[in-house]
Amino acid sequence: MQEITVTTTQRTQFIDITRFIAAVVKQANVTEGHCLIFCPHTTAGVTINEHADPDVVYDISNMLGHLIPPYSNYRHQEGNADAHIKASLIGSSVQVIVQNGSLLLGTWQGIFLCEFDGPRQRRVWVSIK
Amino acid sequence: MQEITVTTTQRTQFIDITRFIAAVVKQANVTEGHCLIFCPHTTAGVTINEHADPDVVYDISNMLGHLIPPYSNYRHQEGNADAHIKASLIGSSVQVIVQNGSLLLGTWQGIFLCEFDGPRQRRVWVSIK
Amino acid sequence: MQEITVTTTQRTQFIDITRFIAAVVKQANVTEGHCLIFCPHTTAGVTINEHADPDVVYDISNMLGHLIPPYSNYRHQEGNADAHIKASLIGSSVQVIVQNGSLLLGTWQGIFLCEFDGPRQRRVWVSIK
């Protein structure tokens, strides 16, 4: 298992971590397998989406903020209930096939850490089996 | 593959199953791998989120009920269309890294069975590779 | 890794691909493992839900269209921002346990390609480890 650290700078932010994951995969020297990219936080998640146009992840983040507003009649009293809800909708991990020692992604796909309660330092765990 | 059974007592309920999964992992005696926690039902799911404050999963469940109301102009005539929709949004499985024979979870993370059409007896399948 | 191709005929469409995945698993001749079903597109996804009553996936698709309308104040200018958002909510992959050489699914579960920006020809990648 390898750990990546990501420093986020905004409360809500999608950060393209594809190149960091690709570097871990290259270093692991595994020809074929399944790469599990896991976020060990409960107010952040991981998703795969378009990384060519940054407006795409802006729209995803913005729509999530519209559907799940930061303030509502939440019971959780830490002011980040919205971030927890978004984390469960987006999910805490993604899986990517490793083939010929590389991540097998579609043409437009990138892997994003989804910060929902930043700014913070976040960790992402990468494991290939 | 090991099966866990969980008895739910409400229509909508998030049940912390972390200790049951951890017991299966311990018993499996696998040092390193990927643990797949799979829910074989279509009106329930599995998610990872905070297990310290029960208000967190209350808020997740409540917001899902707000976004996807139990009654709407659904075509599915069994009265549980909302539960099916929630199941696809939350997802039917999660993956956790196994390291040194234990589940590798973040400090605040727990694994929850998400009941959306209870009360029922539910099954969860656990497999490590 | 095996590739399945699916031709969609509508903008939004859930297509049951269970039998194609099952055929790949049978051909792979793997007794036990984890089957990763991965969608390499950013405006489509994969989900597991009921395949007995087609109204179920109609309701899922319809509710997603209600929550995430096709036109809003999106920044992404290709007219498919809604499809990208839906793809991240549904997810780009699912995992199923393989046991005795077969997919281990619940009684009512089927695997669906979720088209959010069709009609198109789509690919699904299947890998068992």
Side-chain angles (χ1 to χ4, degrees):
Chain A
M1 193 272 288
Q2 294 296 313
E3 182 173 288
I4 289 167
T5 56
V6 181
T7 303
T8 63
T9 58
Q10 300 167 40
R11 180 156 198 263
T12 303
Q13 189 177 15
F14 281 46
I15 294 181
D16 188 345
I17 57 171
T18 315
R19 65 191 182 284
F20 306 120
I21 310 296
V24 168
V25 171
K26 195 172 178 182
Q27 199 178 18
N29 205 23
V30 176
T31 310
E32 298 205 340
H34 291 173
C35 181
L36 173 56
I37 297 117
F38 184 90
C39 176
H41 306 284
T42 56
T43 54
V46 190
T47 197
I48 291 174
N49 217 299
E50 178 174 330
H51 65 158
D53 178 4
D55 285 347
V56 168
V57 291
Y58 174 89
D59 287 336
I60 297 171
S61 173
N62 199 46
M63 178 56 79
L64 283 172
H66 172 73
L67 292 171
I68 303 149
Y71 301 103
S72 183
N73 59 337
Y74 299 125
R75 284 196 185 175
H76 184 56
Q77 290 298 312
E78 296 180 17
N80 60 1
D82 62 322
H84 287 287
I85 299 165
K86 291 172 181 178
S88 272
L89 286 178
I90 287 294
S92 57
S93 71
V94 294
Q95 289 256 346
V96 180
I97 297 166
V98 174
Q99 196 178 57
N100 300 323
S102 297
L103 285 173
L104 202 61
L105 288 166
T107 311
W108 305 102
Q109 287 183 320
I111 304 165
F112 293 85
L113 172 74
C114 309
E115 172 64 85
F116 297 125
D117 191 35
R120 298 202 198 192
Q121 187 166 300
R122 297 295 197 174
R123 291 170 293 152
V124 176
W125 295 339
V126 185
S127 168
I128 309 166
K129 288 290 162 202
Chain B
M1 193 273 288
Q2 293 296 314
E3 182 174 289
I4 290 166
T5 55
V6 182
T7 303
T8 63
T9 58
Q10 300 167 40
R11 179 156 200 264
T12 303
Q13 189 177 15
F14 281 46
I15 294 180
D16 188 346
I17 57 172
T18 315
R19 65 192 182 283
F20 306 120
I21 310 296
V24 168
V25 171
K26 195 172 178 182
Q27 199 179 17
N29 206 22
V30 176
T31 310
E32 298 205 339
H34 292 174
C35 181
L36 173 56
I37 298 119
F38 184 90
C39 176
H41 306 283
T42 56
T43 54
V46 190
T47 196
I48 291 174
N49 218 299
E50 179 174 330
H51 65 159
D53 178 3
D55 284 347
V56 168
V57 292
Y58 174 89
D59 287 336
I60 298 171
S61 172
N62 200 45
M63 178 57 79
L64 283 172
H66 173 73
L67 292 171
I68 303 148
Y71 301 103
S72 182
N73 58 338
Y74 299 125
R75 283 196 186 175
H76 184 56
Q77 291 298 311
E78 296 180 18
N80 60 0
D82 63 322
H84 286 287
I85 299 166
K86 292 172 180 178
S88 273
L89 286 178
I90 287 295
S92 56
S93 70
V94 294
Q95 288 257 343
V96 180
I97 297 166
V98 174
Q99 196 177 57
N100 300 324
S102 297
L103 285 173
L104 202 60
L105 287 166
T107 311
W108 306 102
Q109 289 183 319
I111 304 165
F112 293 86
L113 172 75
C114 309
E115 173 64 84
F116 297 124
D117 191 35
R120 298 200 197 194
Q121 187 166 300
R122 297 295 198 174
R123 291 170 292 153
V124 176
W125 295 339
V126 185
S127 168
I128 309 166
K129 287 291 164 205
Chain C
M1 193 274 288
Q2 292 296 314
E3 182 173 289
I4 290 166
T5 56
V6 182
T7 302
T8 64
T9 58
Q10 300 167 39
R11 179 157 199 263
T12 303
Q13 189 177 15
F14 282 46
I15 294 180
D16 188 346
I17 56 172
T18 315
R19 66 191 182 281
F20 305 120
I21 310 296
V24 168
V25 171
K26 195 171 178 183
Q27 198 177 19
N29 206 23
V30 176
T31 310
E32 297 205 341
H34 291 173
C35 181
L36 173 56
I37 297 119
F38 185 90
C39 175
H41 307 283
T42 57
T43 53
V46 190
T47 197
I48 292 174
N49 217 300
E50 179 175 330
H51 65 158
D53 178 5
D55 285 346
V56 169
V57 292
Y58 174 88
D59 286 336
I60 298 171
S61 173
N62 199 46
M63 178 56 79
L64 283 172
H66 173 72
L67 293 171
I68 302 150
Y71 301 102
S72 182
N73 58 337
Y74 299 124
R75 283 195 185 175
H76 183 56
Q77 291 299 312
E78 296 180 18
N80 60 0
D82 62 322
H84 287 287
I85 299 165
K86 292 172 180 178
S88 273
L89 287 177
I90 287 294
S92 56
S93 69
V94 294
Q95 289 256 344
V96 181
I97 298 166
V98 173
Q99 196 177 58
N100 300 325
S102 296
L103 286 173
L104 201 60
L105 289 167
T107 312
W108 304 102
Q109 287 183 319
I111 304 165
F112 292 86
L113 172 75
C114 309
E115 173 64 84
F116 296 125
D117 191 35
R120 298 201 197 193
Q121 187 166 301
R122 298 294 198 176
R123 290 169 295 151
V124 176
W125 295 340
V126 185
S127 168
I128 309 166
K129 288 289 163 202

